[in-house]
Amino acid sequence: MTIYSRIVGTGSYLPAKVLTNRDLERMVDTTDEWVFTRTGIRQRHVAAEGENASDLALSASRRAIEAAGIGPQNIGLIVVATTTPDMVFPSTACILQAKLGIKGCPAFDMQAVCSGFVYGLGAASQFMGTGQYKYALVVGTEVYSRILDWQDRSTCVLFGDGAGAVVLKQDSAPGIMSCHLHADGSYAGMLSVPGTVSGGKISGRPLLQMEGSTVFKFAVKVLEEVAEEALAANHLRKSNIDWLIPHQANIRIIKATARRLGLSMEKVVTTVDRHANTSAASIPLALDEAVRDGRIRSGQHVLLEGVGGGFTWGSVLIKW
Ligand code: UT7
């Protein structure tokens, strides 16, 4: 008998501080009008000093665990998708495990940049398929404010901090219907933070750099491709998608993807206006919002799709 997994709880967390485009006008040579018309972003949240990826993850996880109606001690596996870990090691997943007050279960980080959550969900659902785990916690958490060059207007206006989490439960029926993951490392230079720690010093430049328009075109292309791939694998049509939750980087990318898939924007969950691009956190943040406000309902098909540095991209198709 095939063992599937189902999302039984979602949660999210946004840091208290809000930075609007108007605030950014006072920091770099930009305008609210430029940022909004090019990206759809109006504001983003920024973590407080000392507030780390594991802290954001903890708040989101507690909400997801509560929504699942279980306690932290029931969690059998922790996967944390992040590109902005608390430290080089231990993993943010291990730090989160300790903050949740549990021990013993496997906990590891997933590094796939903005595709991290779909990679993490894909990995966790494969683990669940072994039947060894009843519940898994999958989190996307980011503090991109720490890896931005706040003097570079072409990148600092685009990103924000936040976290989202889901609890997976073992089930005899999907749940998670399919997961398709991809990568092409030949595009590594297109979007990167080309720095590391070496000999007690920072080597390279540990700030985000991006070839914006190349990334834009790549994202639109692969977001359409992975949606088609997921539908074909499940013998579904575009009209069967009840909700599309794409990575939230730019409303123009999201609209172009929806157009190519023939989907009305009413079927697309968007948070980019208020959260900006929160990388691995963007999909679970949007998912939590649409679950909690009642848009996503039992029996519906929900397609998650991510794309980001690496390059990495992928989809997870869910029957809710
Ligand atoms: O998370 C996964 C990956 N990330 C993404 O998916 C992001 C993908 N890329 C994008 O969203 C868009 O390419 C951007 C929003 C980054 C840029 O939009 P664009 O329409 O591709 O603009 P552009 O890069 O062609 O820049 C147009 C102009 C440039 O000026 P010139 O050379 O035309 O005079 C930039 O210097 O806009 C200028 N510019 C700005 N102006 C005001 C760049 N950033 C800003 C800014 N404010 N913040």
Side-chain angles (χ1 to χ4, degrees):
M1 188 187 76
T2 313
I3 300 166
Y4 296 95
S5 50
R6 177 175 295 282
I7 295 176
V8 292
T10 64
S12 59
Y13 173 79
L14 291 159
K17 184 177 168 190
V18 172
L19 191 68
T20 65
N21 293 345
R22 296 261 180 238
D23 296 328
L24 283 169
E25 286 178 357
R26 291 189 286 276
M27 296 163 64
V28 286
D29 181 16
T30 193
T31 58
D32 172 50
E33 202 257 331
W34 191 94
V35 178
F36 186 69
T37 53
R38 296 294 177 121
T39 70
I41 298 166
R42 282 278 190 216
Q43 62 167 55
R44 72 284 295 138
H45 290 251
V46 176
E49 216 183 310
E51 193 178 26
N52 291 325
S54 67
D55 299 308
L56 275 54
L58 178 64
S59 298
S61 300
R62 282 192 173 136
R63 289 172 187 171
I65 290 168
E66 193 191 353
I70 59 167
Q73 71 284 354
N74 297 115
I75 298 294
L77 167 72
I78 300 176
V79 182
V80 173
T82 187
T83 298
T84 48
D86 289 19
M87 52 182 90
V88 173
F89 74 80
S91 69
T92 304
C94 284
I95 299 170
L96 172 66
Q97 186 200 48
K99 288 183 176 174
L100 283 167
I102 54 175
K103 46 178 81 174
C105 71
F108 60 87
D109 283 4
M110 176 61 71
Q111 165 56 301
V113 199
C114 302
S115 311
F117 185 75
V118 291
Y119 263 69
L121 202 50
S125 72
Q126 302 276 339
F127 273 72
M128 296 291 280
T130 65
Q132 275 186 61
Y133 310 93
K134 187 160 184 210
Y135 292 99
L137 176 67
V138 184
V139 189
T141 183
E142 301 284 12
V143 282
Y144 261 55
S145 57
R146 310 264 159 84
I147 55 165
L148 296 175
D149 176 351
W150 285 101
Q151 286 171 353
D152 174 12
R153 68 175 183 173
S154 71
T155 52
C156 77
V157 303
L158 304 174
F159 296 89
D161 300 341
V166 302
V167 171
L168 288 181
K169 185 184 180 197
Q170 195 188 103
D171 208 317
S172 55
I176 294 188
M177 299 173 67
S178 67
C179 175
H180 293 89
L181 305 176
H182 302 277
D184 183 345
S186 69
Y187 290 106
M190 234 156 65
L191 172 54
S192 63
V193 176
T196 189
V197 178
S198 172
K201 295 197 196 87
I202 289 165
S203 80
R205 189 169 187 272
L207 296 172
L208 185 146
Q209 62 182 38
M210 173 168 71
E211 292 170 27
S213 58
T214 322
V215 174
F216 189 110
K217 286 177 210 132
F218 188 89
V220 173
K221 177 174 155 305
V222 299
L223 289 174
E224 183 193 4
E225 282 173 10
V226 281
E228 303 271 13
E229 182 184 32
L231 291 173
N234 291 285
H235 310 291
L236 292 174
R237 296 169 209 268
K238 292 167 184 167
S239 58
N240 293 120
I241 301 176
D242 295 295
W243 294 105
L244 179 70
I245 309 190
H247 170 50
Q248 308 282 313
N250 186 322
I251 195 70
R252 289 159 51 217
I253 295 177
I254 296 173
K255 282 186 175 163
T257 304
R259 204 177 314 120
R260 283 173 174 227
L261 292 172
L263 283 183
S264 130
M265 280 303 285
E266 273 155 29
K267 291 187 163 190
V268 184
V269 180
T270 59
T271 52
V272 67
D273 54 331
R274 288 156 292 131
H275 301 173
N277 180 348
T278 57
S279 192
S282 91
I283 293 171
L285 269 160
L287 176 66
D288 184 45
E289 188 171 289
V291 168
R292 283 178 188 261
D293 67 20
R295 270 179 283 173
I296 294 179
R297 294 192 307 274
S298 179
Q300 291 184 330
H301 288 113
V302 181
L303 181 62
L304 314 181
E305 32 172 27
V307 55
F311 252 75
T312 55
W313 64 104
S315 74
V316 176
L317 183 65
I318 303 165
K319 182 147 190 210
W320 204 260

